[in-house]
Amino acid sequence: MDPIDKELKQELSDGPFAQDGFTDALRKRIEERIMTAEAPSSPTVRRIRPWLAGAGAAAAAALLFLAVEGDLWFMPPASTLDSAPMAATASQVVPDFESTVRTALLVGLRTDTKTAEPTEEKSEYRTLLIAPDDSRLKVISQGPGILMPYKMDFWRLREARTVNGEGRAYVYWSAALAASSRSADQSAKQVAALSNAALTEKLLFVGNRYIAVEQKVMTRDKKGDLRSSRFVWVKDVPQLAGSSNPDEPPLQQPHVKLKDIFGTAVEPALQQLDPYLPLMPSEFQPKHASTDTWGESWTIARQQGRWIAKVASYENDASGDSQSYRLKDVPMSLPAEVVSHDRLVPEWGEIKRIQPAAVDAYSSPNLDVVLVVADRHLIVYPYKGVLLPNPLLTVELKPQESVIMAHWATDPYIDPWKKNVSAFLTQ
């Protein structure tokens, strides 16, 4: 034991100090002990223990030091604590962290609005690209319609329009290379002669190959009464890009079946869900059609942080004037070829704690940012092991606007995305 330590311990054990307990000699020994303390590189463990104030200043000062088997227990003065560097807060982390973000996000949005007809609605679409620029996350570009990545190119989804013999509109979705001069409007001219039906389609989901649509068909029966039907389908880019006739019966139009995605593994689920095939517009008499054993009619829907498959089961309404469907969850995870990245980190509870208004969320593949969807905003939060509460970017949404597409890009694809998307969205 150090001689100074030995003398100090002896004096501490002798009971109350003489001369009011804190002598000049003791103070000198304490100062000498501080000066001769081992350097920070020493393997000696240094512990910090909080001490409460004692009955008197002299007693508190004496208790600041206690040599115990070579370990030094030490509480620095209050002035040292006040000036000590504190752990970095979220507000201190975010500005520096934002400059390290190397993630781009292509978002597709749909806005639904009511028309003059109470039962009708109109849908509008826009695409925006969020990416780092000058060490900050920004909306790099945005434009009307839907621009999606497919393989190594960007494809444009547009509504093709034509009219039937009664002047009723046929509005359906078509796909073309964004760099191509061929537009969806031109493809509409290839449609064959149409019947007296009217058709509109609404995008429900846009992946990197597959697209889910809701289709509304209006027809007149032999008596001249107007009938309406709604269907849901999943199609792929080649089917949307190919020559097709939207006047064909729904089941004869090109589409992707559940068995095309899951194979025969989906058969037990289909047997349990027991969905019914969609009825043709002219077949409104039976209550149910036959059982859909292939999963002909299905869609892809968002469910709190992930995309899921839902199969449709059809029946007439009570009046027999229209056909409706009910969606049933398919208890199987969609494969990567349908949803390339669909992992949500952190857990939903942590997201709601940071943003109570959250209704959905998407996390980047390299786990550096999280896109939180609220009722009227898209909010990008930094993620660094935990969700940091300081938003990097907030984008205002229109009323009734929802996310139907979210595609991520990381290096080395960020800069090409910024260049190409900006060019295509401004065309």
Side-chain angles (χ1 to χ4, degrees), residues 196 219-227 281-282 284-285 321:
N196 62 354
T219 59
R220 292 190 183 276
D221 61 17
K222 295 179 180 179
K223 298 179 181 179
D225 296 330
L226 199 62
R227 310 284 189 178
S282 60
F284 278 88
Q285 296 307 314
D321 292 337

Side-chain angles (χ1 to χ4, degrees), residues 48-97:
I48 298 177
R49 171 179 292 181
W51 292 90
L52 297 176
L63 289 174
L64 284 175
F65 292 86
L66 177 62
V68 181
E69 299 180 352
D71 288 345
L72 182 66
W73 300 79
F74 172 60
M75 174 184 171
S79 60
T80 306
L81 289 175
D82 293 341
S83 61
M86 302 297 290
T89 64
S91 60
Q92 292 171 320
V93 170
V94 170
D96 292 335
F97 180 66

Side-chain angles (χ1 to χ4, degrees), residues 250-290:
L251 278 175
Q252 295 179 23
Q253 295 177 21
H255 61 276
V256 178
K257 307 172 184 64
L258 273 173
K259 276 192 178 180
D260 296 332
I261 301 298
F262 295 109
T264 57
V266 77
E267 289 179 355
L270 289 175
Q271 291 175 2
Q272 183 177 7
L273 296 172
D274 192 27
Y276 288 100
L277 284 169
L279 301 170
M280 298 302 100
S282 60
E283 297 174 354
F284 278 88
Q285 296 307 314
K287 180 68 175 177
H288 293 297
S290 59

